[in-house]
Every structure is written in C-alpha cells, then in structure tokens.
Amino acid sequence: MRFALDSSHEDFASSIDALLAKSDLPAVVRSWAAGDTGPGLKVWQRLAEVGVGALLVDEDHDGLGADALDLVVAMEQLGRHAVPGPLVETVAVAPILLAAVAPDRLSALASGELATVAAAPHVPYAVDADVADLVLHVGGGTVSTGTAGDARQSVDPARRLHAVAAADTLGDTDFGAAFDYGALATAAQLQGLGRTLLDTTVEYAQQRKQFGRAIGSFQAVKHHLAEVAVGLEMARPLLLGAALAVRDGVATASRDVSAAKVACGEAAYRAARTALQVHGAIGYTLEHDLSLALTRVRALVTAWGTADVHRARVVDALEDAS
C-alpha cells in the first residue's frame, strides 16, 4: 500500500494552509470562545468556497465527490490552524448520514451550512449546536433532526457541547460508517495540531536562551523534541493507511481507523506535553497562542471515541481475524 500523497493532494493542502494563514486564526478562535462566532463563520464560508464542506457530498448534490484521503488532507490542515466549529461533523459525518436518510439536504451542506451530530454513547454531546444550521441526533440506528439543550463546559473554551433531543425522524441507517469517518477526521485534526505544536516549540527553543545558550541546544530538550517528531512521523502512515482502507472499502477499515485515532491522539498529546514543558507556564496562559492548540488536543483526544474504545476495537478485530 502506498502512503505518499500525490501532487494534487499537496496542492489542496497548500491552498487550505494559505487561506487559513491569512485569517488570523488565533483571534478567530478567541472570538469563538467568547461567543462571537462571526469571524469564525466567515472563515468557514471561505473554506466552503474552496470545496471543504463539499468534499464528501456527491456531484449530483453539488459536491465534489471526493474520498477519505481528500478528507484527511483537509482535516489535517484545519487541525494545524485550530479552526473552531463543528468541522468533523460538517465535513465528515453529516454527509455520510444525510446521503443515507435525507439526500435532499446535501446541497445545502455543500454550499456552506454547518452541521453537528450527537450519537451516544461515544458522541453524547453535539459540538456548537447553537451555531450549526443542522443538528442531527442518532439513536439506535435512527437519524433525526435534533433540538439543542443547555451548553456544557469543555476543556477547550472554543468547543461548546450540547445535549440533543431527537425531533423529526429522517430515517434509519448503520452508524458504523459515519463513526469511522468521524474518528478518521478527528485523528487527522490531531495530527495537524501535533505538527503545529512541534513547529512552534522548535521555534521557541531556538530563540529562548538560558545560561547564554538557546535552550534548543540542550541535549535533554533535543531528545524530547525528537521523540515528538518520531511519534508524529510514525502516526502519519497509520492515518493515511486508514484513509485508503476507508476509501477502498477494505474489510479492516474500522480497525485501521481506530489504530490511527489512537496513534495520532498519543502523538499529539505527547507534542502538547512537551510544548508545555519547553515553554513553561507561559505556554498555558490565555495570552499565548500555544494554549489554543493545547486545549484543542486535550478535547479531541477523547472526541469520537476515547483511546480505550478504539484500542478495544483493534483488539476485537484482531481476535476475530485469528
């Protein structure tokens, strides 16, 4: 299996990166956390214009008809910049659910509407249901529109979590495929966040001086950063391999997605811990942009299935295959 991305994927990633680099995302994230979603919605509309929201929507409903590999490429860049909002739900999950139960709603999704999803037990709360144009509730294989309840606090101030009550039934479908896409997209975001944390910390270590030397020249700091880099590099083939397995309908796709979610989550969490250690307490203050990535990693590590859930899925798949 070939893991390397081709030039079209690299160009797509570069175009998203360039768009987000011009959008002052730290300020956007802080505004979103404070309840001012206007700047964030403007960023989302620009992303929708380049096709991010339409990736998994078929061409008959004004989408791009792209695949899981394209999804991972996009979500990794959204993770790198810590874009706020129900991105996994809008880009990865809602298109799968709506294609099965309400395809007439897909065109609106492709044009830039935001969607969010609650599906207990692994996704008990919907992210940013107060902002989303469409709220979906999944229970027992039945997909319904949902009514958002009170907001609940998240470790990430820019992620508001809402309990959701089922409203109008749209239809029945197997949630397994949508869950795999959600976990895969979350893993890609974690991979992107981990890379940002590493790059930011390396830059800081080259500038911060102690005892007349840049702290990045100290062997202990080098070792920590090297471990982070190795973890991220080892996780990425699992992420791309899972995307290919989902795209090609391989029988082991769910297992591969879970392995990627665990690996990317661990790599990003290691990057977060190391970044905080190297920066010191300043890295966790609200004034420092590093805090935006730190809290996002902490939230996404358990989103769309905890590490224990995904490890159990890997073990079950291996036992079934033996």
Side-chain angles (χ1 to χ4, degrees), residues 109-157:
L109 205 61
S111 68
E113 282 195 354
L114 286 174
T116 191
V117 179
H122 302 313
V123 191
Y125 303 111
V127 176
D128 296 314
D130 56 334
V131 179
D133 302 289
L134 174 64
V135 179
L136 296 175
H137 176 278
V138 182
T142 299
V143 182
S144 308
T145 58
T147 302
D150 294 337
R152 297 169 184 260
Q153 188 174 7
S154 168
V155 67
D156 178 3

Short mmCIF file of all heavy atoms in Angstrom, two decimals, residues 109-157:
data_model
loop_
_atom_site.label_atom_id
_atom_site.label_comp_id
_atom_site.label_asym_id
_atom_site.label_seq_id
_atom_site.Cartn_x
_atom_site.Cartn_y
_atom_site.Cartn_z
N LEU A 109 -25.52 21.55 2.55
CA LEU A 109 -24.28 21.26 3.24
C LEU A 109 -23.09 21.63 2.36
O LEU A 109 -22.11 22.22 2.81
CB LEU A 109 -24.23 19.78 3.60
CG LEU A 109 -23.37 19.36 4.79
CD1 LEU A 109 -23.86 20.01 6.07
CD2 LEU A 109 -23.37 17.84 4.92
N ALA A 110 -23.18 21.30 1.08
CA ALA A 110 -22.10 21.60 0.14
C ALA A 110 -21.90 23.10 -0.04
O ALA A 110 -20.79 23.56 -0.31
CB ALA A 110 -22.38 20.94 -1.21
N SER A 111 -22.97 23.86 0.13
CA SER A 111 -22.88 25.31 -0.10
C SER A 111 -22.33 26.07 1.11
O SER A 111 -22.09 27.27 1.02
CB SER A 111 -24.26 25.87 -0.46
OG SER A 111 -25.14 25.79 0.65
N GLY A 112 -22.15 25.38 2.23
CA GLY A 112 -21.54 26.05 3.37
C GLY A 112 -22.28 25.98 4.68
O GLY A 112 -21.84 26.58 5.67
N GLU A 113 -23.40 25.26 4.73
CA GLU A 113 -24.08 25.11 6.01
C GLU A 113 -23.22 24.30 6.98
O GLU A 113 -22.48 23.40 6.58
CB GLU A 113 -25.44 24.42 5.83
CG GLU A 113 -26.53 25.33 5.32
CD GLU A 113 -27.91 24.72 5.51
OE1 GLU A 113 -27.99 23.55 5.95
OE2 GLU A 113 -28.90 25.41 5.20
N LEU A 114 -23.36 24.61 8.27
CA LEU A 114 -22.69 23.85 9.31
C LEU A 114 -23.66 22.84 9.91
O LEU A 114 -24.84 23.14 10.10
CB LEU A 114 -22.19 24.77 10.42
CG LEU A 114 -20.96 25.63 10.11
CD1 LEU A 114 -20.70 26.59 11.27
CD2 LEU A 114 -19.74 24.76 9.85
N ALA A 115 -23.15 21.65 10.21
CA ALA A 115 -23.97 20.61 10.83
C ALA A 115 -23.23 20.06 12.04
O ALA A 115 -22.00 20.10 12.12
CB ALA A 115 -24.25 19.48 9.83
N THR A 116 -23.99 19.56 12.99
CA THR A 116 -23.38 18.91 14.15
C THR A 116 -24.18 17.66 14.48
O THR A 116 -25.32 17.51 14.03
CB THR A 116 -23.30 19.86 15.36
OG1 THR A 116 -22.47 19.27 16.35
CG2 THR A 116 -24.67 20.17 15.93
N VAL A 117 -23.58 16.77 15.26
CA VAL A 117 -24.16 15.44 15.47
C VAL A 117 -23.97 15.02 16.92
O VAL A 117 -22.89 15.21 17.50
CB VAL A 117 -23.48 14.39 14.56
CG1 VAL A 117 -24.06 13.01 14.81
CG2 VAL A 117 -23.62 14.78 13.09
N ALA A 118 -25.01 14.42 17.50
CA ALA A 118 -24.91 13.73 18.78
C ALA A 118 -25.31 12.28 18.55
O ALA A 118 -26.35 12.02 17.93
CB ALA A 118 -25.81 14.36 19.83
N ALA A 119 -24.49 11.34 19.04
CA ALA A 119 -24.76 9.92 18.84
C ALA A 119 -24.17 9.15 20.01
O ALA A 119 -23.03 8.70 19.96
CB ALA A 119 -24.18 9.44 17.52
N ALA A 120 -24.94 9.02 21.08
CA ALA A 120 -24.47 8.27 22.25
C ALA A 120 -24.24 6.80 21.85
O ALA A 120 -24.88 6.29 20.93
CB ALA A 120 -25.51 8.37 23.36
N PRO A 121 -23.29 6.10 22.51
CA PRO A 121 -22.58 6.54 23.72
C PRO A 121 -21.27 7.28 23.46
O PRO A 121 -20.76 7.95 24.34
CB PRO A 121 -22.29 5.21 24.42
CG PRO A 121 -22.09 4.24 23.30
CD PRO A 121 -23.05 4.66 22.23
N HIS A 122 -20.70 7.13 22.26
CA HIS A 122 -19.36 7.66 22.04
C HIS A 122 -19.34 9.14 21.68
O HIS A 122 -18.31 9.80 21.82
CB HIS A 122 -18.66 6.86 20.93
CG HIS A 122 -18.56 5.39 21.23
ND1 HIS A 122 -18.15 4.91 22.44
CD2 HIS A 122 -18.85 4.31 20.46
CE1 HIS A 122 -18.16 3.59 22.42
NE2 HIS A 122 -18.60 3.20 21.25
N VAL A 123 -20.46 9.66 21.22
CA VAL A 123 -20.57 11.09 20.90
C VAL A 123 -21.82 11.61 21.59
O VAL A 123 -22.83 11.91 20.95
CB VAL A 123 -20.64 11.32 19.37
CG1 VAL A 123 -20.47 12.80 19.05
CG2 VAL A 123 -19.61 10.50 18.64
N PRO A 124 -21.79 11.72 22.92
CA PRO A 124 -23.02 12.05 23.66
C PRO A 124 -23.49 13.48 23.50
O PRO A 124 -24.67 13.76 23.71
CB PRO A 124 -22.63 11.77 25.12
CG PRO A 124 -21.14 11.95 25.16
CD PRO A 124 -20.64 11.48 23.82
N TYR A 125 -22.58 14.39 23.15
CA TYR A 125 -22.94 15.79 23.02
C TYR A 125 -22.58 16.31 21.63
O TYR A 125 -21.58 15.88 21.04
CB TYR A 125 -22.22 16.63 24.08
CG TYR A 125 -22.50 16.17 25.48
CD1 TYR A 125 -21.49 15.58 26.25
CD2 TYR A 125 -23.76 16.31 26.04
CE1 TYR A 125 -21.74 15.15 27.54
CE2 TYR A 125 -24.02 15.88 27.34
CZ TYR A 125 -23.01 15.29 28.08
OH TYR A 125 -23.28 14.86 29.35
N ALA A 126 -23.38 17.24 21.15
CA ALA A 126 -23.13 17.86 19.84
C ALA A 126 -22.29 19.12 20.03
O ALA A 126 -22.58 19.94 20.91
CB ALA A 126 -24.45 18.21 19.16
N VAL A 127 -21.28 19.28 19.21
CA VAL A 127 -20.39 20.43 19.28
C VAL A 127 -21.05 21.64 18.62
O VAL A 127 -21.54 21.54 17.48
CB VAL A 127 -19.05 20.13 18.59
CG1 VAL A 127 -18.16 21.36 18.57
CG2 VAL A 127 -18.34 18.97 19.29
N ASP A 128 -21.08 22.75 19.32
CA ASP A 128 -21.56 24.02 18.76
C ASP A 128 -22.94 23.91 18.11
O ASP A 128 -23.18 24.45 17.02
CB ASP A 128 -20.54 24.56 17.74
CG ASP A 128 -19.21 24.90 18.39
OD1 ASP A 128 -19.23 25.54 19.44
OD2 ASP A 128 -18.16 24.51 17.84
N ALA A 129 -23.84 23.23 18.80
CA ALA A 129 -25.19 23.07 18.27
C ALA A 129 -25.94 24.39 18.18
O ALA A 129 -26.90 24.52 17.43
CB ALA A 129 -25.97 22.09 19.13
N ASP A 130 -25.49 25.39 18.96
CA ASP A 130 -26.14 26.69 18.92
C ASP A 130 -25.76 27.49 17.68
O ASP A 130 -26.41 28.49 17.35
CB ASP A 130 -25.79 27.49 20.17
CG ASP A 130 -24.29 27.64 20.39
OD1 ASP A 130 -23.53 26.78 19.90
OD2 ASP A 130 -23.87 28.61 21.04
N VAL A 131 -24.71 27.04 16.98
CA VAL A 131 -24.25 27.74 15.78
C VAL A 131 -24.64 26.99 14.51
O VAL A 131 -24.86 27.59 13.45
CB VAL A 131 -22.71 27.92 15.83
CG1 VAL A 131 -22.21 28.62 14.57
CG2 VAL A 131 -22.31 28.70 17.07
N ALA A 132 -24.73 25.67 14.60
CA ALA A 132 -24.96 24.84 13.43
C ALA A 132 -26.32 25.10 12.79
O ALA A 132 -27.31 25.37 13.48
CB ALA A 132 -24.85 23.37 13.81
N ASP A 133 -26.35 25.03 11.46
CA ASP A 133 -27.61 25.16 10.73
C ASP A 133 -28.46 23.90 10.84
O ASP A 133 -29.68 23.95 10.73
CB ASP A 133 -27.32 25.46 9.26
CG ASP A 133 -26.49 26.71 9.07
OD1 ASP A 133 -27.02 27.80 9.29
OD2 ASP A 133 -25.29 26.59 8.73
N LEU A 134 -27.78 22.76 11.02
CA LEU A 134 -28.48 21.49 11.10
C LEU A 134 -27.93 20.69 12.28
O LEU A 134 -26.72 20.47 12.38
CB LEU A 134 -28.28 20.68 9.81
CG LEU A 134 -28.84 19.26 9.78
CD1 LEU A 134 -30.37 19.28 9.91
CD2 LEU A 134 -28.43 18.53 8.50
N VAL A 135 -28.82 20.27 13.17
CA VAL A 135 -28.44 19.43 14.31
C VAL A 135 -29.03 18.05 14.09
O VAL A 135 -30.24 17.91 13.85
CB VAL A 135 -28.95 20.02 15.64
CG1 VAL A 135 -28.56 19.11 16.80
CG2 VAL A 135 -28.40 21.42 15.84
N LEU A 136 -28.19 17.02 14.15
CA LEU A 136 -28.63 15.65 13.94
C LEU A 136 -28.48 14.85 15.23
O LEU A 136 -27.50 15.00 15.96
CB LEU A 136 -27.82 14.98 12.82
CG LEU A 136 -27.97 15.58 11.43
CD1 LEU A 136 -27.01 14.89 10.45
CD2 LEU A 136 -29.41 15.46 10.93
N HIS A 137 -29.45 13.99 15.47
CA HIS A 137 -29.42 13.07 16.62
C HIS A 137 -29.49 11.65 16.08
O HIS A 137 -30.32 11.33 15.24
CB HIS A 137 -30.61 13.34 17.54
CG HIS A 137 -30.72 12.39 18.70
ND1 HIS A 137 -31.30 11.15 18.58
CD2 HIS A 137 -30.31 12.50 19.99
CE1 HIS A 137 -31.25 10.52 19.75
NE2 HIS A 137 -30.66 11.33 20.62
N VAL A 138 -28.59 10.80 16.55
CA VAL A 138 -28.57 9.40 16.14
C VAL A 138 -28.78 8.54 17.37
O VAL A 138 -28.04 8.65 18.35
CB VAL A 138 -27.24 9.02 15.45
CG1 VAL A 138 -27.29 7.56 14.99
CG2 VAL A 138 -26.96 9.94 14.28
N GLY A 139 -29.76 7.67 17.31
CA GLY A 139 -30.03 6.77 18.43
C GLY A 139 -30.61 5.46 17.92
O GLY A 139 -31.62 5.45 17.20
N GLY A 140 -29.95 4.35 18.25
CA GLY A 140 -30.44 3.05 17.81
C GLY A 140 -30.52 2.89 16.31
O GLY A 140 -31.39 2.17 15.80
N GLY A 141 -29.65 3.56 15.57
CA GLY A 141 -29.67 3.47 14.11
C GLY A 141 -30.64 4.42 13.45
O GLY A 141 -30.70 4.48 12.21
N THR A 142 -31.41 5.16 14.23
CA THR A 142 -32.36 6.13 13.67
C THR A 142 -31.76 7.53 13.68
O THR A 142 -31.26 7.98 14.72
CB THR A 142 -33.67 6.13 14.49
OG1 THR A 142 -34.28 4.84 14.43
CG2 THR A 142 -34.65 7.17 13.94
N VAL A 143 -31.81 8.18 12.54
CA VAL A 143 -31.29 9.54 12.41
C VAL A 143 -32.46 10.52 12.43
O VAL A 143 -33.43 10.35 11.67
CB VAL A 143 -30.49 9.71 11.11
CG1 VAL A 143 -29.91 11.13 11.03
CG2 VAL A 143 -29.38 8.68 11.02
N SER A 144 -32.36 11.52 13.29
CA SER A 144 -33.41 12.52 13.41
C SER A 144 -32.78 13.90 13.42
O SER A 144 -31.59 14.06 13.69
CB SER A 144 -34.21 12.34 14.71
OG SER A 144 -34.67 11.02 14.87
N THR A 145 -33.59 14.89 13.11
CA THR A 145 -33.14 16.24 13.42
C THR A 145 -33.16 16.37 14.94
O THR A 145 -33.84 15.62 15.64
CB THR A 145 -34.05 17.30 12.79
OG1 THR A 145 -35.40 17.10 13.26
CG2 THR A 145 -34.01 17.19 11.28
N GLY A 146 -32.41 17.31 15.46
CA GLY A 146 -32.30 17.43 16.90
C GLY A 146 -32.56 18.83 17.41
O GLY A 146 -32.43 19.82 16.67
N THR A 147 -32.90 18.89 18.68
CA THR A 147 -33.09 20.16 19.38
C THR A 147 -32.01 20.28 20.44
O THR A 147 -31.87 19.40 21.30
CB THR A 147 -34.47 20.23 20.04
OG1 THR A 147 -35.48 20.06 19.04
CG2 THR A 147 -34.66 21.57 20.74
N ALA A 148 -31.23 21.35 20.37
CA ALA A 148 -30.11 21.52 21.29
C ALA A 148 -30.59 21.95 22.66
O ALA A 148 -31.49 22.78 22.79
CB ALA A 148 -29.14 22.55 20.74
N GLY A 149 -29.97 21.34 23.70
CA GLY A 149 -30.26 21.73 25.07
C GLY A 149 -29.21 22.69 25.59
O GLY A 149 -28.54 23.39 24.82
N ASP A 150 -29.04 22.71 26.89
CA ASP A 150 -28.09 23.63 27.51
C ASP A 150 -26.66 23.29 27.13
O ASP A 150 -26.32 22.13 26.88
CB ASP A 150 -28.23 23.57 29.03
CG ASP A 150 -29.57 24.09 29.52
OD1 ASP A 150 -30.19 24.88 28.78
OD2 ASP A 150 -29.99 23.71 30.63
N ALA A 151 -25.82 24.32 27.10
CA ALA A 151 -24.40 24.13 26.78
C ALA A 151 -23.68 23.57 28.00
O ALA A 151 -24.02 23.87 29.14
CB ALA A 151 -23.77 25.45 26.35
N ARG A 152 -22.67 22.74 27.74
CA ARG A 152 -21.84 22.17 28.79
C ARG A 152 -20.40 22.58 28.55
O ARG A 152 -19.97 22.73 27.42
CB ARG A 152 -21.97 20.64 28.81
CG ARG A 152 -23.38 20.18 29.14
CD ARG A 152 -23.57 18.70 28.90
NE ARG A 152 -24.94 18.30 29.14
CZ ARG A 152 -25.39 17.72 30.26
NH1 ARG A 152 -24.53 17.49 31.25
NH2 ARG A 152 -26.65 17.39 30.40
N GLN A 153 -19.66 22.71 29.62
CA GLN A 153 -18.28 23.18 29.53
C GLN A 153 -17.37 22.12 28.95
O GLN A 153 -17.47 20.94 29.27
CB GLN A 153 -17.78 23.60 30.92
CG GLN A 153 -16.43 24.27 30.91
CD GLN A 153 -16.05 24.78 32.29
OE1 GLN A 153 -16.74 24.51 33.26
NE2 GLN A 153 -14.96 25.51 32.38
N SER A 154 -16.46 22.54 28.10
CA SER A 154 -15.43 21.67 27.55
C SER A 154 -14.08 22.17 28.03
O SER A 154 -13.92 23.34 28.40
CB SER A 154 -15.47 21.69 26.01
OG SER A 154 -14.32 21.08 25.46
N VAL A 155 -13.09 21.28 28.03
CA VAL A 155 -11.73 21.71 28.37
C VAL A 155 -11.22 22.74 27.37
O VAL A 155 -10.35 23.54 27.69
CB VAL A 155 -10.79 20.49 28.43
CG1 VAL A 155 -10.60 19.87 27.05
CG2 VAL A 155 -9.44 20.86 29.02
N ASP A 156 -11.78 22.73 26.17
CA ASP A 156 -11.45 23.71 25.14
C ASP A 156 -12.54 24.78 25.13
O ASP A 156 -13.69 24.49 24.77
CB ASP A 156 -11.37 23.03 23.78
CG ASP A 156 -11.06 23.99 22.64
OD1 ASP A 156 -10.87 25.19 22.92
OD2 ASP A 156 -11.02 23.54 21.48
N PRO A 157 -12.24 26.02 25.53
CA PRO A 157 -13.27 27.06 25.57
C PRO A 157 -13.93 27.32 24.22
O PRO A 157 -15.04 27.87 24.18
CB PRO A 157 -12.49 28.30 26.05
CG PRO A 157 -11.28 27.76 26.74
CD PRO A 157 -10.93 26.52 26.00
#
